[in-house]
Amino acid sequence: MTVGAKKFTPEVLLSAPRRSAATPNAAGTLALFSVSTYSFHSHSKTSEIRVLDIKTGQSELLTNDLAASEPTWLGDHNLVLWLKGGEKGTTELVVADAEHLDNKPEVFMTVNGPVSNMKVARIDADNIALAVTGLATPSGDLYNPKTAEKPISTAKIYSKLFVRQWDSYVTENKSSIFYTVLSRLQGVSKMTVAPLKNALADLSVPLETPVPPFGGAGDFDISKNGIVFVAKDPTLDPANYTKTDLYYIPLRTFTERQAPTPQIVKTGNLRGYSSSPVFSPDAKSVAFARMKSDQYESDKPRLLLVPDITDLSNVQEFYETEDGEGKWDLRPESIIWSRNGEELYVTAEENGRGKLFKLPASPRHATHLPTAIIENGTVTDVKALPNNRIFISSTSLVDNSIYSIYIPDDPSGRLTVSSNAKGGKTFGLSQDQVHEFWYQGAGDYSVHAWVVKPSFFKKGQKYPLAYLIHGGPQGAWNEGWSTRWNPAVFAEQGYVVVAPNPTGSTGYGMALQNGIKNEWGGRPYEDLVKGFEYIEKNMDYVDTTRSVALGASYGGFMVNWIQGHPLGRKFKALVTHDGVFSTLNQYSSEELFFPHHDFGGTLWENRENYEKWDPARHLENWATPHLIIHNELDYRLPIAEGLAPFNVLQTKGIPSKFLTFPDENHWVLKPENSLVWHKVVLDWINKYSGVTSD
């Protein structure tokens, strides 16, 4: 499924097969996954759904229909269900037999609109609950943009926030969960399905889930006892508050004409984001996560348990402390139950890795902090297997898809089932290229940094530095794959890539992360300065006189900040992607809780703090050649934040270039656009660093 590459180029990165997480069947013998590729020769995409033999690591094609997506096991008979985009905006539910791949898949239901995030759960021997999500009209019907009546005017009128979010204007149509039941599953031809029903229709106070703009299947779960989901508090302004609550809808048959009113799960002083609700195997309990602050999107999530879904007043917190801060200093993300319901498996960042942790499923038994059972790479998905084994989907800095099995009490601990890039070899990469170091930060703490060397690195030679600055700012460079900011792409041009995780970075404890509040250009900048000084003194194979610096989002802010400060004179060229030109313009964004938290209040309450970290205050110092990239559909940082610095650079006569994509948002996602992005960026930094790339 992959073709070996002599050199890891942007074309190889963007055309390499992209595999989804894999989902094993009930027996743990087969797994479903999808894989897509893009060809720069034919300028076209291919997409497949495949069945993986977990024992051999080999896979077989189930369908190569471009419109097929989200394969899901249906019951215990190795039937596979997937969604297929149909004509006029409809969605078809298609079923096939994974044990008889020669049999033609059958369409057993057509839905009048686009749906996604499909989940199934067995109710009894003959019935399976099914839920999907889609946009609902104000009347509660599934919205179909292809058949909806088109307005005669393009006017948009708003009297509350949001006006627009991420890359689109907010409309009257809201995300919702639609449910039904599949009955008599002895065979495809005997299967019946009831019409979809909107679980959130006719509510006195409207609720929306998944939560835009990034909500998905992790925002809800289903079981034989009903649906749990998270939704924004409809009584609060969503632009200024992050509060999302957990709700429970008791359903017994999934044939109810009208779903019962959602019941809220109250969590005391924890009033921030709720996330990752998941039913226990017996459907009696629910584990989920919730933050404390209702105005801080990157607050620490706490693990919570509802032991008995029929008693929502009993909510228990894992690792609770009297001061309310919680004993576990990491940020739990996804949650999975073991098959026997006795343990939880939780993903969380730690020291530049996306680790997997194990803990007892009861807070009363979780007397010790969770144990990391997978410590390398980044775990992207986890599924429970029989015999307490765990199926893991993960990535690394040199491999974009690894399937493995965690085996308790086995000396090896982890068995690789399939590696998309054979540990990097397919891409001409090797784990030997990846290193890391720690250095003293601006205060009494250490800062971690990743190093990626060229595959053709030779001892005794010097290579220019590519200094990568991550966004967020509450984010991190982790030991995981990326198709947007991949360190290996820069390394293979001939750079030593250093990717530091300074103040504000996640996965190093909340003190380091929260230290960026009111310090945007302070401690993080000093950490980066000290990192550069460490490289100068300790890495004799790095030619710092030919250094370049690049960053996006907050990383773009920092590059703009560096441009106006002494560190900016250390670089031959700079690259800002969708960055902040002036912190005084934060109110042109959408999620206002973000600057309110990081700058310590509103603009009118604390203007001096916004001004303190404003890159535009230091324009007189700008002198380094600078590439500015900014996209038209970036509503989080509108395009004026890119046009303004380019205008300054041009007016001052500083060598500069401006790149924009009218059809991209904060990210560049389309393959052809991404290829242009990479070529422009690499040509720019290579020109000023003196790198010659064949």
Side-chain angles (χ1 to χ4, degrees):
M1 294 174 61
T2 57
V3 178
K6 293 183 178 179
K7 181 178 179 181
F8 188 59
T9 63
E11 289 88 346
V12 173
L13 168 69
L14 300 171
S15 61
R18 303 187 188 187
R19 301 197 304 191
S20 69
T23 303
N25 61 0
T29 56
L30 303 174
L32 295 171
F33 69 96
S34 58
V35 58
S36 64
T37 59
Y38 186 83
S39 169
F40 288 104
H41 298 291
S42 63
H43 306 288
S44 61
K45 176 184 176 181
T46 64
S47 181
E48 299 176 347
I49 295 175
R50 303 185 70 87
V51 181
L52 175 74
D53 185 316
I54 292 178
K55 184 176 181 179
T56 66
Q58 301 300 309
S59 67
E60 293 186 83
L61 178 68
L62 192 55
T63 179
N64 59 2
D65 191 330
L66 274 173
S69 65
E70 299 190 32
T72 303
W73 294 107
L74 189 61
D76 300 329
H77 304 290
N78 285 333
L79 295 179
V80 181
L81 179 67
W82 67 80
L83 302 177
K84 177 184 175 181
E87 296 181 354
K88 296 182 179 180
T90 61
T91 304
E92 296 175 343
L93 275 68
V94 183
V95 67
D97 190 338
E99 292 184 340
H100 300 87
L101 297 178
D102 292 335
N103 294 348
K104 185 178 179 180
E106 297 184 26
V107 176
F108 71 90
M109 183 182 188
T110 300
V111 179
N112 187 27
V115 295
S116 59
N117 300 315
M118 180 169 59
K119 290 193 173 184
V120 297
R122 180 171 290 283
I123 299 175
D124 54 39
D126 296 323
N127 297 284
I128 287 182
L130 180 145
V132 293
T133 67
L135 288 177
T137 65
S139 63
D141 297 325
L142 183 63
Y143 173 68
N144 187 334
K146 297 291 186 181
T147 58
E149 183 178 352
K150 301 297 186 291
I152 58 176
S153 169
T154 59
K156 295 178 175 65
I157 302 174
Y158 297 86
S159 58
K160 62 180 181 179
L161 298 176
F162 291 112
V163 170
R164 58 187 191 179
Q165 190 177 24
W166 190 245
D167 60 5
S168 61
Y169 281 81
V170 173
T171 72
E172 62 181 0
N173 305 309
K174 305 300 179 185
S175 298
S176 192
I177 300 173
F178 296 83
Y179 66 90
T180 186
V181 65
L182 311 179
S183 302
R184 292 187 290 277
L185 295 166
Q186 290 85 353
V188 177
S189 61
K190 299 179 181 179
M191 187 162 53
T192 62
V193 57
L196 286 176
K197 304 170 189 66
N198 186 347
L200 304 181
D202 303 320
L203 299 180
S204 57
V205 179
L207 297 173
E208 182 175 18
T209 194
V211 179
F214 302 122
D219 279 1
F220 74 100
D221 198 20
I222 67 172
S223 75
K224 63 181 181 182
N225 286 330
I227 301 172
V228 287
F229 67 93
V230 298
K232 280 266 194 179
D233 187 331
T235 67
L236 296 177
D237 172 5
N240 284 287
Y241 291 90
T242 60
K243 184 171 183 275
T244 61
D245 293 300
L246 179 68
Y247 294 86
Y248 169 52
I249 302 176
L251 294 171
R252 294 295 175 259
T253 65
F254 280 75
T255 60
E256 290 89 342
R257 289 189 175 183
Q258 182 173 351
T261 301
Q263 304 171 22
I264 193 169
V265 179
K266 296 182 179 180
T267 59
N269 292 328
L270 301 180
R271 297 177 53 82
Y273 273 128
S274 300
S275 62
S276 307
V278 57
F279 277 104
S280 59
D282 61 8
K284 294 180 179 179
S285 305
V286 172
F288 66 107
R290 185 158 201 182
M291 297 178 183
K292 185 176 182 179
S293 172
D294 62 1
Q295 290 188 294
Y296 181 24
E297 65 174 353
S298 296
D299 197 11
K300 181 175 69 174
R302 320 299 174 86
L303 285 175
L304 300 172
L305 177 73
V306 181
D308 183 352
I309 197 66
T310 64
D311 180 13
L312 300 183
S313 65
N314 181 16
V315 181
Q316 301 174 9
E317 181 179 347
F318 289 82
Y319 310 114
E320 186 176 11
T321 57
E322 291 184 0
D323 62 5
E325 295 302 314
K327 188 184 301 183
W328 197 23
D329 202 27
L330 299 183
R331 305 175 72 251
E333 297 172 354
S334 62
I335 306 168
I336 298 294
W337 291 79
S338 62
R339 283 282 186 94
N340 59 16
E342 295 179 356
E343 294 172 319
L344 295 179
Y345 295 90
V346 179
T347 60
E349 291 177 282
E350 186 177 41
N351 295 341
R353 292 155 174 94
K355 298 183 179 181
L356 180 64
F357 295 83
K358 180 173 69 172
L359 64 151
S362 167
R364 295 172 183 172
H365 297 149
T367 56
H368 301 285
L369 291 180
T371 302
I373 59 174
I374 302 297
E375 300 202 53
N376 296 319
T378 292
V379 175
T380 57
D381 190 75
V382 181
K383 294 289 188 296
L385 294 172
N387 303 319
N388 282 328
R389 296 177 302 150
I390 302 295
F391 190 94
I392 298 165
S393 300
S394 63
T395 70
S396 74
L397 282 167
V398 298
D399 199 326
N400 65 350
S401 175
I402 306 163
Y403 300 147
S404 60
I405 296 176
Y406 167 72
I407 308 171
D409 303 323
D410 187 289
S412 62
R414 188 176 182 182
L415 173 66
T416 298
V417 175
S418 172
S419 167
N420 201 35
K422 295 179 173 58
K425 291 180 181 179
T426 303
F427 300 146
L429 302 175
S430 166
Q431 193 66 34
D432 293 339
Q433 296 174 240
V434 180
H435 306 272
E436 59 189 306
F437 65 91
W438 294 79
Y439 64 92
Q440 184 68 38
D444 187 20
Y445 56 87
S446 296
V447 174
H448 175 251
W450 288 105
V451 180
V452 181
K453 298 178 181 178
S455 60
F456 45 85
F457 178 87
K458 292 182 180 179
K459 192 173 181 179
Q461 293 190 7
K462 282 181 172 286
Y463 301 84
L465 169 67
Y467 211 37
L468 301 187
I469 305 170
H470 70 68
Q474 292 87 3
W477 296 115
N478 286 325
E479 191 186 13
W481 192 259
S482 173
T483 54
R484 298 198 307 274
W485 284 86
N486 191 303
V489 163
F490 298 94
E492 292 306 276
Q493 292 289 304
Y495 295 91
V496 169
V497 177
V498 176
N501 286 319
T503 295
S505 298
T506 51
Y508 300 89
M510 295 304 295
L512 185 76
Q513 177 188 308
N514 292 339
I516 197 170
K517 183 175 181 179
N518 295 323
E519 284 283 337
W520 263 39
R523 278 178 52 184
Y525 173 76
E526 294 300 328
D527 288 345
L528 293 169
V529 170
K530 288 184 176 295
F532 192 91
E533 292 172 347
Y534 178 93
I535 297 167
E536 287 181 308
K537 295 176 182 177
N538 297 279
M539 299 169 67
D540 57 6
Y541 52 88
V542 177
D543 183 356
T544 55
T545 67
R546 298 164 59 202
S547 298
V548 296
L550 310 88
S553 195
Y554 171 81
F557 158 87
M558 182 52 73
V559 171
N560 291 344
W561 183 261
I562 285 171
Q563 172 72 284
H565 288 80
L567 184 58
R569 309 293 75 81
K570 297 283 189 177
F571 298 107
K572 290 293 186 182
L574 301 171
V575 178
T576 291
H577 173 102
D578 285 31
V580 175
F581 171 68
S582 175
T583 50
L584 297 179
N585 295 337
Q586 289 291 290
Y587 273 76
S588 63
S589 186
E590 11 90 296
E591 293 183 341
L592 299 178
F593 50 74
F594 177 77
H596 289 171
H597 175 272
D598 278 19
F599 296 116
T602 64
L603 181 60
W604 51 94
E605 292 170 330
N606 198 9
R607 185 183 180 92
E608 65 276 8
N609 209 36
Y610 286 74
E611 291 180 340
K612 182 178 181 181
W613 307 120
D614 188 355
R617 289 184 64 200
H618 306 279
L619 299 179
E620 69 277 7
N621 299 326
W622 285 31
T624 302
H626 202 151
L627 168 64
I628 304 290
I629 306 168
H630 217 103
N631 300 327
E632 297 240 14
L633 293 183
D634 186 352
Y635 297 157
R636 186 148 295 183
L637 288 169
I639 193 169
E641 292 294 279
L643 289 169
F646 180 63
N647 290 345
V648 168
L649 292 161
Q650 287 284 298
T651 301
K652 294 194 69 170
I654 300 170
S656 50
K657 185 175 288 189
F658 182 72
L659 171 64
T660 185
F661 298 97
D663 55 347
E664 298 283 6
N665 53 36
H666 201 54
W667 304 325
V668 179
L669 301 177
K670 298 178 180 179
E672 298 287 354
N673 288 345
S674 185
L675 183 59
V676 171
W677 185 97
H678 279 87
K679 287 185 174 180
V680 171
V681 169
L682 295 176
D683 285 348
W684 181 260
I685 62 176
N686 291 351
K687 174 182 177 181
Y688 290 97
S689 67
V691 165
T692 302
S693 178
D694 51 20

